[in-house]
Amino acid sequence: MKLNVVAWSYFVFGIGILIVCSSMEPRQITEAESDFDSPVAAANFRSDKRMSENGKVPDGAIALAISQRDLIVDPSDGAGVFPGGWTWHGPGNLGGRVRSILIHPTNTNIMWTGGLSGGIWKTIDAGVSWLPMDDFMPVMPIGCMALDQTNPNTLFAGTGEGFFETVEGTSNTAAVRGAGIFKSTDGGTSWSQIAFTNTPDWYFVNRIAISPTNSQNMLAATGSGVWRSTDGGTTWVRTSLGLAYDVQFHPTDGQKVISGFHDDGVKVSINGGLSWTAATGLPNPHRSEVRYAPSNPNTVYCAASVGSAIKIYRSVNGGSTFTLTTTGGGISTYAAYNNVLWVDPANANNLILGGVYLYRSANAGATFTQGLNGVHADMHAIVSDPNFNGTTNRRIFVGCDGGIYRSNDHTLNPVNNLNHNLGIAQVYGAVMNPANGNMIAGLQDNGTIRYTGLPQDWGTVFGGDGVYCEYDPTDVNYWYAGIYYAQIVRSTTGGAGGSYNYCYSGITDAGSSTTCNFIAYFGLDPSNANRMLVGARSLWRSNNIKAGTPTWTAIKPTIQPGGRPNGRSKNDEAHFATNPPWNISTFTIAQSNSNLIWVGYNNGEVWKTINGAAVTPTWTRVDNGATQLPARWVGSIRIDPNNTNRILVSFMGYESNNLWMTTNGGTNWTDISGDLPSTPISAVTTHPINSNWIYVGTDVGLFTSSDGGQNWSTQNVGPGIAPVEELRWVTGTKLLAVTHGRGVYSADILDSVTEPLSPTTYNIIWGNLMSGRLSSLYASDNDKLDILGDFTAPGLVTPMGVQFTSVSPHGNVSYLAFKLEVNATQRNLGLRTRLFNWNSNQWEELDFRPTTTTDSTFEFVATGDPSRFVSPANREIKALVTAEPWAADVIAKWRVRFDQVLFTVRQ
């Protein structure tokens, strides 16, 4: 699906809260861990990586990257990666950061949510399962959402995550910039940017409110103030300046409004947001969340964040004046980051307040008790069931850093985890051991987690923000993970929870924000599982990583110039302040040569050694003083296992020259970016055997080349348009793709002779499309092309028919098969399958059989000479699938749902 925008501004993806978890529930952070417990640190890390040399990102960069991506989408050319070869591994039982939840007002089984990366998702079964909406949304930070109560198919999504106290516009801003407001008129299936909001004033849309009396009247709280629309969001007028975090209409009176600001308290309006008056009695909090009490709207509450605590202030005159009600020190928060307030719709004295954790109050916020245990830490949204009445229905939903949870009774502690395949996890790194298929992954906000077979079976094994991961290929008992600033941990008993211990003692750079990147790179020597390297200010090596207490030695000194302060580059660029330019960003060790090591830095410098196993290796700088290579953050380095003089280096930044290759060990470099989008490249690798097959992970998905980088293509499946952080080979035929917003995928790299071919187009000849798109046909993933039979024409024998078209890589073939995974709403329907015979210019029937109500997979192999089904003019293959009455008594309307459609050909 093409992106319908005018132009986008850039943004960076996600921030992390450093909460250490036990099982799937949070525990209190320790005093030592809290030293680094800043949501800004993770945001700065991702922001710093994506800067250009001047410390900025061009306006409209992400829009340009997506438009460039759209030009080279090709499901048939993937360097052995084809749509049918992808598997999503989850995590499917925990989510990512959620700041918005919408519930359909009349059908509460329908809900929508937005991840801070990972896009907008919808459930039609009350959270039993979730499916993603528009393809472009994985790259958008969804800060808030709103729904038109008079027309629930009309939705609004505000983008950008502005809940920080750094100043937007500085080169090292921690805030996650968006691109205004997007609107859907089809229940979230497709979205379009509201053109008026395509300006810097709309980088941060923190709240959208729709009038209860006229849905054309809307208000938006943004980083530039409160804006008002009287035409359903098409045009806007700013009516109040300042950083606005919240805006709420009176439950029944569209003229009364309250809004909460940063360092400017609360403002009230009695004319629908046209003009504002400052409330009194508040201390100008860092963040003000405001709520009317639905049962008594003259009562208004403000959850005020001051420093690290939230306290409740109450107004009994509609918000004009407030009085402090909290008698103690309040509840803990991270300033503006996590603050959410819920007022019981049936009892104005009952509150739930969320900061780091959830707390209840039955006395209007005077005192609080911690409750609703089992919800992941860091609270951002609390929503009532539309039928909440305080007695027979007391259901609420909570959005937090761990996704979505439901409480069927807000007065009790048990909660239900609704992250059932809500695939919005922000993963930094992951690894799969091919010996047993087990994986561990390091997540932002959600620690290090472990997989043993199903997407729903991930369990937390270590806390803090997760980082990169490793496994010992010679011993399935040894696994390695860590937390921020190079604090590496090790399991010697298979990687299960509770088995990890710190093993970084001796790395003097570790644990410091001035000598390590927030997420520091580490890895094992492919030739020696006893040797580990860690990149910090220096490159550190342990030759006995399995020892009870490993020893560490710095084998590459810092490149920091003498006398230069921490956090400043040679140009004094502020975007390096939190991850200094002379920190190591990545490195790689040759597959079969421990002496050959390449190292990349935050400032773009690239170094190598050919005696890396020596006590004191000798290092050579090979980026030629940045005269050939970009002076930007090095994303990834790949040494060709078939030619160690051939090295690929990728760079970050929204620029056009982010992939370079040398064929002589670094003496000369060639830009092979070609028609790749102008987007950061976090990962690059080549096929272990076929070096011309190249794979790069970017902020707008995975791209492949089959010809050594001369041409590039991508797919709308697998990771899709989500940012790909890491690419790792599990085996010579399985590639792991780690995404920041859509979890972990693997792709089976298939021989081009027997590759499965996905349809390049489909055409509904009879029937009506209910949901789905072309990409719904690529994988067996329950994302279906759903077609309703058309019974409007009297006597129509075939109420449903769809044609699928693909292109064979060969003109003459010895084998051709057509595969369907399909179900229907009735059993007594006949499914007829045909292929087009280009010799006779007619459809030739392959099969006719009854349908089933559950997914069934059929594969039909063409008999005789299958080349008759391949067009001699353009190698096109066409299949026609129709649904017809199998029995005479079938008269009701029905639907046919295609989950996967594939052609397979052999020369």
Side-chain angles (χ1 to χ4, degrees):
M1 182 172 294
K2 300 299 183 184
L3 179 64
N4 184 6
V5 296
V6 177
W8 281 10
S9 301
Y10 91 96
F11 57 89
V12 291
F13 303 95
I15 55 175
I17 298 301
L18 318 178
I19 297 293
V20 178
C21 301
S22 174
S23 182
M24 298 303 290
E25 298 181 2
R27 70 162 173 83
Q28 288 290 119
I29 57 174
T30 67
E31 182 177 354
E33 290 160 348
S34 68
D35 290 343
F36 301 118
D37 207 343
S38 167
V40 175
N44 275 340
F45 171 70
R46 289 188 63 78
S47 177
D48 288 355
K49 291 176 68 172
R50 284 157 173 79
M51 298 294 178
S52 297
E53 290 88 338
N54 62 358
K56 301 181 183 300
V57 172
D59 285 338
I62 199 69
L64 175 62
I66 292 175
S67 64
Q68 293 169 333
R69 180 188 190 276
D70 287 345
L71 295 175
I72 56 176
V73 172
D74 182 357
S76 66
D77 183 14
V81 182
F82 294 91
W86 284 103
T87 299
W88 181 66
H89 297 286
N93 57 331
L94 60 90
R97 189 163 63 263
V98 166
R99 290 192 180 272
S100 54
I101 303 170
L102 295 180
I103 306 174
H104 194 287
T106 59
N107 183 353
T108 57
N109 286 324
I110 299 176
M111 300 169 57
W112 298 266
T113 189
L116 267 298
S117 59
I120 292 176
W121 292 63
K122 182 179 181 179
T123 177
I124 60 174
D125 51 22
V128 174
S129 62
W130 296 84
L131 284 175
M133 296 289 98
D134 201 310
D135 283 344
F136 79 85
M137 295 304 283
V139 301
M140 289 301 302
I142 307 301
C144 61
M145 297 177 70
L147 177 151
D148 184 345
Q149 296 290 320
T150 64
N151 181 5
N153 281 324
T154 298
L155 310 174
F156 298 88
T159 64
E161 189 174 21
F163 299 96
F164 299 90
E165 295 185 78
T166 53
V167 177
E168 208 293 313
T170 62
S171 58
N172 65 329
T173 177
V176 184
R177 197 187 286 184
I181 296 177
F182 288 74
K183 181 179 180 179
S184 172
T185 58
D186 55 12
T189 300
S190 60
W191 295 81
S192 298
Q193 186 191 46
I194 295 177
F196 188 95
T197 66
N198 180 40
T199 73
D201 284 332
W202 294 84
Y203 283 159
F204 305 104
V205 183
N206 300 323
R207 199 78 77 235
I208 300 170
I210 301 176
S211 169
T213 57
N214 182 349
S215 61
Q216 293 297 296
N217 294 339
M218 301 174 60
L219 295 168
T222 76
S224 63
V226 177
W227 294 73
R228 183 172 184 260
S229 173
T230 58
D231 54 13
T234 301
T235 61
W236 299 78
V237 174
R238 181 163 47 194
T239 60
S240 182
L241 294 171
L243 171 51
Y245 283 129
D246 195 10
V247 64
Q248 302 284 331
F249 275 100
H250 184 285
T252 59
D253 187 342
Q255 294 302 304
K256 296 179 180 178
V257 191
I258 51 174
S259 185
F261 288 77
H262 168 73
D263 283 347
D264 201 17
V266 170
K267 298 179 183 180
V268 297
S269 173
I270 58 173
N271 54 12
L274 187 61
S275 61
W276 299 87
T277 302
T280 60
L282 292 165
N284 287 335
H286 298 305
R287 177 176 173 183
S288 296
E289 284 288 299
V290 289
R291 294 293 182 275
Y292 285 96
S295 63
N296 180 12
N298 281 328
T299 298
V300 180
Y301 289 97
C302 174
S305 295
V306 180
S308 60
I310 305 174
K311 297 182 180 181
I312 293 295
Y313 290 76
R314 182 176 61 176
S315 169
V316 294
N317 58 4
S320 294
T321 58
F322 284 85
T323 303
L324 176 66
T325 62
T326 301
T327 57
I331 72 166
S332 61
T333 182
Y334 304 127
Y337 176 73
N338 45 3
N339 177 341
V340 62
L341 175 64
W342 176 82
V343 183
D344 187 333
N347 186 334
N349 289 317
N350 291 339
L351 310 180
I352 296 178
L353 182 61
V356 178
Y357 303 108
L358 288 170
Y359 296 82
R360 295 192 193 92
S361 174
N363 53 15
T367 59
F368 287 92
T369 57
Q370 190 170 344
L372 295 173
N373 299 328
V375 178
H376 190 282
D378 298 317
M379 309 304 156
H380 306 300
I382 307 174
V383 177
S384 305
D385 186 292
N387 299 314
F388 187 102
N389 57 24
T391 53
T392 59
N393 186 325
R394 295 191 285 199
R395 184 177 296 119
I396 65 170
F397 299 83
V398 177
C400 60
D401 275 1
I404 295 181
Y405 295 78
R406 182 189 69 223
S407 171
N408 290 326
D409 186 340
H410 70 91
T411 68
L412 303 175
N413 281 331
V415 295
N416 298 286
N417 184 333
L418 296 189
N419 298 304
H420 303 141
N421 288 339
L422 180 60
I424 59 173
Q426 298 172 317
V427 188
Y428 284 119
V431 65
M432 175 189 288
N433 190 326
N436 54 19
N438 290 352
M439 284 192 285
I440 59 172
L443 276 65
Q444 191 167 298
D445 302 333
N446 287 277
T448 299
I449 60 176
R450 181 171 180 256
Y451 165 96
T452 56
L454 293 173
Q456 296 80 19
D457 287 345
W458 291 81
T460 300
V461 297
F462 197 77
D465 263 18
V467 295
Y468 297 102
C469 302
E470 270 286 13
Y471 74 95
D472 186 330
T474 66
D475 190 334
V476 295
N477 290 310
Y478 282 83
W479 295 79
Y480 302 88
I483 58 174
Y484 31 85
Y485 302 119
Q487 298 176 84
I488 311 301
V489 297
R490 178 189 64 195
S491 169
T492 61
T493 56
S499 66
Y500 288 84
N501 296 289
Y502 287 106
C503 61
Y504 69 93
S505 177
I507 302 178
T508 57
D509 287 343
S512 169
S513 61
T514 61
T515 54
C516 286
N517 286 341
F518 181 75
I519 304 296
Y521 193 79
F522 73 94
L524 290 173
D525 184 338
S527 302
N528 185 350
N530 291 306
R531 179 177 293 129
M532 176 179 283
L533 270 61
V534 176
R537 182 62 54 85
S538 300
L539 182 65
W540 293 83
R541 180 181 67 198
S542 172
N543 289 323
N544 62 346
I545 192 60
K546 295 182 182 179
T549 303
T551 55
W552 293 92
T553 303
I555 63 168
K556 186 179 188 307
T558 180
I559 63 169
Q560 180 177 354
R564 301 300 297 175
N566 287 330
R568 291 291 183 264
S569 73
K570 61 185 179 182
N571 295 321
D572 201 37
E573 292 161 356
H575 63 293
F576 283 128
T578 57
N579 294 275
W582 23 81
N583 284 355
I584 292 171
S585 60
T586 189
F587 62 81
T588 192
I589 309 170
Q591 289 293 310
S592 57
N593 182 358
S594 300
N595 281 301
L596 182 57
I597 305 171
W598 283 62
V599 178
Y601 285 83
N602 295 0
N603 65 358
E605 291 188 21
V606 180
W607 295 69
K608 75 170 186 179
T609 180
I610 58 174
N611 65 339
V615 175
T616 307
T618 302
W619 295 89
T620 302
R621 185 174 175 182
V622 292
D623 62 284
N624 298 323
T627 58
Q628 284 192 275
L629 299 186
R632 296 190 297 275
W633 193 295
V634 179
S636 182
I637 304 173
R638 169 69 170 178
I639 301 172
D640 186 342
N642 304 305
N643 177 4
T644 56
N645 283 317
R646 181 176 183 261
I647 293 90
L648 280 76
V649 179
S650 75
F651 292 85
M652 306 297 284
Y654 286 93
E655 304 292 342
S656 61
N657 60 335
N658 279 334
L659 187 62
W660 293 75
M661 180 175 68
T662 177
T663 57
N664 54 15
T667 301
N668 303 104
W669 293 91
T670 302
D671 179 2
I672 61 168
S673 304
D675 55 357
L676 282 171
S678 301
T679 179
I681 299 178
S682 296
V684 60
T685 190
T686 57
H687 191 277
I689 298 174
N690 187 345
S691 299
N692 281 324
W693 285 6
I694 306 175
Y695 314 82
V696 295
T698 79
D699 271 13
V700 292
L702 175 74
F703 292 80
T704 60
S705 174
S706 301
D707 54 15
Q710 296 180 53
N711 296 282
W712 295 92
S713 65
T714 189
Q715 305 168 0
N716 281 322
V717 73
I721 206 168
V724 177
E725 295 289 290
E726 187 178 30
L727 295 170
R728 297 191 63 139
W729 290 98
V730 181
T731 66
T733 59
K734 186 181 289 293
L735 180 66
L736 203 66
V738 179
T739 78
H740 201 79
R742 284 289 176 89
V744 180
Y745 294 80
S746 68
D748 292 321
I749 309 301
L750 304 171
D751 191 315
S752 61
V753 175
T754 59
E755 65 196 30
L757 303 171
S758 299
T760 54
T761 60
Y762 74 91
N763 181 32
I764 297 175
I765 300 172
W766 303 287
N768 301 289
L769 179 65
M770 302 304 292
S771 65
R773 61 204 73 150
L774 183 65
S775 62
S776 303
L777 304 171
Y778 294 162
S780 175
D781 57 2
N782 291 322
D783 179 12
K784 295 179 171 65
L785 190 72
D786 187 349
I787 302 174
L788 173 68
D790 183 4
F791 285 80
T792 59
L796 187 62
V797 177
T798 306
M800 194 289 299
V802 58
Q803 178 181 304
F804 303 103
T805 303
S806 190
V807 178
S808 169
H810 320 291
N812 295 312
V813 298
S814 63
Y815 176 91
L816 191 151
F818 181 62
K819 179 181 178 181
L820 288 172
E821 184 179 355
V822 63
N823 71 51
T825 53
Q826 294 187 26
R827 296 178 60 184
N828 291 329
L829 300 174
L831 201 68
R832 194 181 303 273
T833 304
R834 306 174 180 91
L835 289 178
F836 191 77
N837 185 327
W838 294 92
N839 292 339
S840 65
N841 224 27
Q842 296 178 353
W843 290 103
E844 184 174 318
E845 184 171 316
L846 294 181
D847 186 79
F848 186 48
R849 68 178 63 212
T851 59
T852 58
T853 55
T854 57
D855 279 355
S856 295
T857 301
F858 312 114
E859 187 165 28
F860 312 115
V861 180
T863 58
D865 180 9
S867 293
R868 68 187 185 276
F869 299 117
V870 181
S871 168
N874 56 15
R875 303 196 307 276
E876 192 173 77
I877 312 170
K878 295 194 295 187
L880 176 64
V881 180
T882 59
E884 308 165 15
W886 180 264
D889 60 345
V890 177
I891 58 174
K893 288 191 175 183
W894 38 261
R895 292 157 78 162
V896 179
R897 304 181 179 100
F898 296 91
D899 195 8
Q900 187 178 41
V901 176
L902 292 175
F903 298 88
T904 301
V905 298
R906 296 174 189 161
Q907 193 171 24

